[in-house]
Amino acid sequence: MPSDRQNTERPDFERRLSDALHETGAAFDADRSALVAAGTARGRRLRRRRAAVLGSVAGVALVGVGGALVVADDGSSDRLPASVTGTPKPSGASSPAPVTADRMISTLEALLPEGRFSKAEGRGVDPNEPLVAPYAQVVYDDGHGAAAVSVTVDRVAPGGYDARQAVRCPDKVYAPYDSCVTSRLPDSSVVTVVKGYEYPDRRLDTKLWTAALVTPDGHHVSVSEWNAAAEKGAPVSRDRPPLSADQLRTLAAAREWRGVVDAVPMDPRQTQEPPVAQDDGTALRHTLAALLPKGLKVVAHGADDDSQFTYLVVDDGRGRSLVQINVQPDMSDVAGQLFGAGSETLPDGTLVAERKAPGEKGGDGVVMWTVDTLRTDGFRVVISAFNSGSQQTAATRTAPALTLKQLRGIALSPRWRR
């Protein structure tokens, strides 16, 4: 099987991976300035969301610990298998072999069915950048059309937030998909296969199918495939990606990746994360609901998995409106990126920025109104409202259900300090 390999300094997949390590809210895309600061906070907390390797199919919901097998097509299941909330086991690999870009690429090619390979790129373990995970990506052609296939491996703390988040079905408010199935393997690893799309708004029919696996030892393997020769910027070359759901699951579960993960250094901060989730976002959601103006009915809401982000979908009788909020401490270091010309400084030193902009996820006619606030101690509250129940769907009303004045009042409320 011929292979045309090329290792560039910063290929698109690596760039996407590195950028995604600093995203928040699992690709919630509140607004560009919100993502800058939110990404900084997430980077500090080492929350490597599924966006790191799954692009548009980033998982968002989190649940409490449990032992039930999840098999869901709509992401509605309430519990995850206990294997993702267990304790670490010795890997038995005292001196793992070095992981190079060529090793990543050759392993991926060897595990794929027979076909032709081209445009291979990869990255091994780099001690100077321990948070950039090893990966490989190839263009694979099984005779029915070229398709990009990629794999990324890293470590997650067993029982930690990342372990459960990695195998959680996405929230369809942010990442529409056709199916999501989570299952437990005989070795107690948990794997989730999602059949979705590269573009959530479906402006192009580029399909993105993914498999994410987490073992009881904290090995994390993510596989992605497209029905085009590149994740973006390439025409659709086949009806669907080349690997079936079972093949994706098998590829993610291949034993070869376990040795690769053993060579990835564990960030010591990850081992400090307790096995039971501490990110209960119930209070955040309840506070947002309590601060809404009268006359708004909450018709949907996000999962109570994140103490810094939540959303509500509200309706005042004139159409649905998505309202999302980030509440983040220690954000003073990004003040210069968020609050420039046109920002306001209140008497107590709080910075306030108000923005009206088009939506950024492709929904026809969608607009986004945002109020961003930063207290003098770095405590930040940013809230956005849209004139649709999702950024990917067309506008359901001419303007969001909340005015800028109302959004401002919510963002500046002292109740967030509680």
Side-chain angles (χ1 to χ4, degrees):
M1 293 179 289
S3 173
D4 177 19
R5 299 183 183 177
Q6 56 182 28
N7 297 323
T8 60
E9 291 186 5
R10 194 169 178 81
D12 182 68
F13 185 78
E14 178 186 339
R15 174 192 54 74
R16 183 165 62 90
L17 172 62
S18 180
D19 291 345
L21 290 177
H22 297 86
E23 289 185 359
T24 187
F28 291 122
D29 292 323
D31 62 276
R32 292 188 185 279
S33 58
L35 284 178
V36 170
T40 302
R42 284 301 182 212
R44 292 173 185 146
R45 301 171 66 191
L46 296 176
R47 296 291 168 79
R48 295 182 225 180
R49 302 288 185 132
R50 293 183 66 202
V53 288
L54 302 191
S56 304
V57 194
V60 293
L62 177 70
V63 295
V65 297
L69 175 67
V70 177
V71 180
D73 289 330
D74 60 0
S76 61
S77 297
D78 292 328
R79 290 187 292 168
L80 295 179
S83 58
V84 297
T85 60
T87 56
K89 302 175 184 177
S91 65
S94 57
S95 299
V99 176
T100 64
D102 280 345
R103 177 180 171 185
M104 290 295 299
I105 294 168
S106 61
T107 301
L108 175 59
E109 291 180 349
L111 291 172
L112 288 171
E114 185 175 355
R116 296 183 61 85
F117 301 97
S118 62
K119 298 182 179 179
E121 58 186 43
R123 180 187 180 92
V125 174
D126 185 346
N128 296 319
E129 295 187 78
L131 294 184
V132 179
Y135 80 94
Q137 179 166 304
V138 300
V139 174
Y140 165 68
D141 193 337
D142 58 359
H144 301 286
V149 181
S150 69
V151 62
T152 300
V153 301
D154 65 354
R155 291 180 181 270
V156 292
Y161 184 92
D162 288 353
R164 295 184 304 280
Q165 189 68 23
V167 292
R168 183 64 177 168
C169 287
D171 186 326
K172 286 192 171 182
V173 167
Y174 292 98
Y177 56 87
D178 291 333
S179 68
C180 178
V181 177
T182 300
S183 53
R184 182 164 48 197
L185 304 183
D187 66 353
S188 291
S189 296
V190 179
V191 60
T192 296
V193 176
V194 180
K195 293 184 177 181
Y197 299 86
E198 179 64 34
Y199 302 95
D201 62 355
R202 304 287 301 277
R203 61 184 180 273
L204 295 175
D205 197 31
T206 305
K207 293 182 173 67
L208 168 59
W209 292 3
T210 60
L213 174 136
V214 173
T215 74
D217 300 333
H219 296 77
H220 178 208
V221 181
S222 298
V223 178
S224 300
E225 60 169 345
W226 293 261
N227 61 334
E231 57 198 273
K232 287 183 171 67
V236 169
S237 54
R238 49 194 298 148
D239 291 338
R240 58 180 61 192
L243 304 180
S244 68
D246 285 342
Q247 288 175 312
L248 270 179
R249 190 178 296 108
T250 299
L251 178 57
R255 302 298 301 182
E256 287 83 349
W257 302 126
R258 310 297 172 88
V260 173
V261 178
D262 286 336
V264 176
M266 183 69 166
D267 191 292
R269 291 170 293 182
Q270 282 189 299
T271 62
Q272 298 171 6
E273 187 174 359
V276 178
Q278 298 298 312
D279 288 311
D280 183 1
T282 304
L284 191 69
R285 177 170 60 85
H286 288 174
T287 300
L288 177 58
L291 292 172
L292 289 175
K294 293 181 179 180
L296 291 179
K297 179 182 179 181
V298 176
V299 296
H301 62 79
D304 296 330
D305 69 321
D306 193 332
S307 62
Q308 293 190 5
F309 177 90
T310 195
Y311 75 84
L312 301 174
V313 178
V314 300
D315 195 333
D316 58 1
R318 294 189 290 272
R320 293 192 169 201
S321 179
L322 172 65
V323 181
Q324 60 189 24
I325 191 164
N326 278 95
V327 179
Q328 303 164 313
D330 304 322
M331 300 300 293
S332 297
D333 55 342
V334 296
Q337 302 173 56
L338 301 173
F339 300 91
S343 298
E344 177 184 358
T345 303
L346 302 184
D348 65 355
T350 298
L351 298 174
V352 180
E354 299 180 358
R355 291 179 290 273
K356 290 185 176 181
E360 296 179 337
K361 304 304 291 184
D364 186 26
V366 173
V367 297
M368 173 176 58
W369 294 1
T370 300
V371 175
D372 203 343
T373 65
L374 186 69
R375 273 68 165 183
T376 55
D377 63 352
F379 185 77
R380 178 177 183 244
V381 179
V382 54
I383 183 170
S384 297
F386 304 81
N387 60 335
S388 176
S390 169
Q391 290 196 63
Q392 286 82 28
T393 56
T396 55
R397 49 191 301 137
T398 57
L402 284 80
T403 66
L404 279 178
K405 182 178 179 180
Q406 290 169 328
L407 292 173
R408 179 187 179 108
I410 293 174
L412 292 173
S413 171
R415 295 186 62 170
W416 298 116
R417 291 288 194 176
R418 304 172 191 172

